Amino acid sequence: IGLALVLAYMILYYRGLGIVVVVGLGVSAALLYSIICYLSAHNGLALSLAGATGIIVSVGVTVDSYIVYFERLKDEIRGGKSVRTSVDRSFSRAYRTILAADLVSFLAAVILYLFTVGSVRGFAFTLGLSTLLDVFTAYFFTRPMVILLGRSRLFTEARYFGVARGLAAEP
């Protein structure tokens, strides 16, 4: 229910870019599921309740990356630039912030993994893995998707779900 509420909010607030969030979380989840399945089959990884909690927390980390990027994009548009010209510049600035936030989460996961035992290690492992996937997904999925959508006039100027409407500055 919580995930559905977060996704609904992202779609209502960011409009068309909210769809990027939904698909991006799906891509991230598919990659995470594939890695966990591989590690379960070949290395005996067992996903515990603590590990599942790490995955749930990582959804917040991932959504935070989208918010950082989209708010930076919104700032560029408020500055008078078009969506198309703002996409690359805002990503390069936002990606530094995303890397810093993910580095902190990853270091926390590493420290937890090294200095704890039992199920807390499962939490730390899945949180660290999810954080690494967030960096990967932000660069190789989110950025190209927003670039493609920023080039589409239909998608940027659509009446209800247009990217420009979702990023428009409030008076």
Side-chain angles (χ1 to χ4, degrees), residues 5-19 21-22 63 66-67 70:
L5 289 173
V6 167
L7 294 178
Y9 177 77
M10 293 299 283
I11 289 172
L12 290 173
Y13 189 75
Y14 289 112
R15 312 234 178 155
L17 289 174
I19 296 167
V21 176
V22 172
V63 169
Y66 287 104
I67 291 171
F70 296 162

Side-chain angles (χ1 to χ4, degrees), residues 33-90:
Y33 180 75
S34 298
I35 292 169
I36 289 175
C37 286
Y38 176 81
L39 292 175
S40 295
H42 297 288
N43 292 345
L45 175 71
L47 187 61
S48 64
L49 188 57
T53 304
I55 293 170
I56 292 169
V57 170
S58 73
V59 170
V61 171
T62 303
V63 169
D64 182 53
S65 295
Y66 287 104
I67 291 171
V68 167
Y69 180 31
F70 296 162
E71 287 301 314
R72 188 71 188 147
L73 190 55
K74 186 185 279 189
D75 289 344
E76 292 286 328
I77 290 171
R78 277 188 192 140
K81 295 179 181 70
S82 69
V83 174
R84 186 178 218 173
T85 59
S86 301
V87 170
D88 282 327
R89 185 174 180 189
S90 60

Side-chain angles (χ1 to χ4, degrees), residues 102-143:
D102 284 349
L103 179 65
V104 169
S105 293
F106 184 73
L107 287 175
V110 167
I111 290 169
L112 276 174
Y113 189 84
L114 293 175
F115 294 113
T116 61
V117 293
S119 61
V120 177
R121 282 186 134 187
F123 171 81
F125 179 77
T126 56
L127 180 63
L129 181 60
S130 299
T131 303
L132 290 176
L133 285 175
D134 178 46
V135 171
F136 179 82
T137 305
Y139 192 81
F140 290 106
F141 175 78
T142 305
R143 180 177 165 263

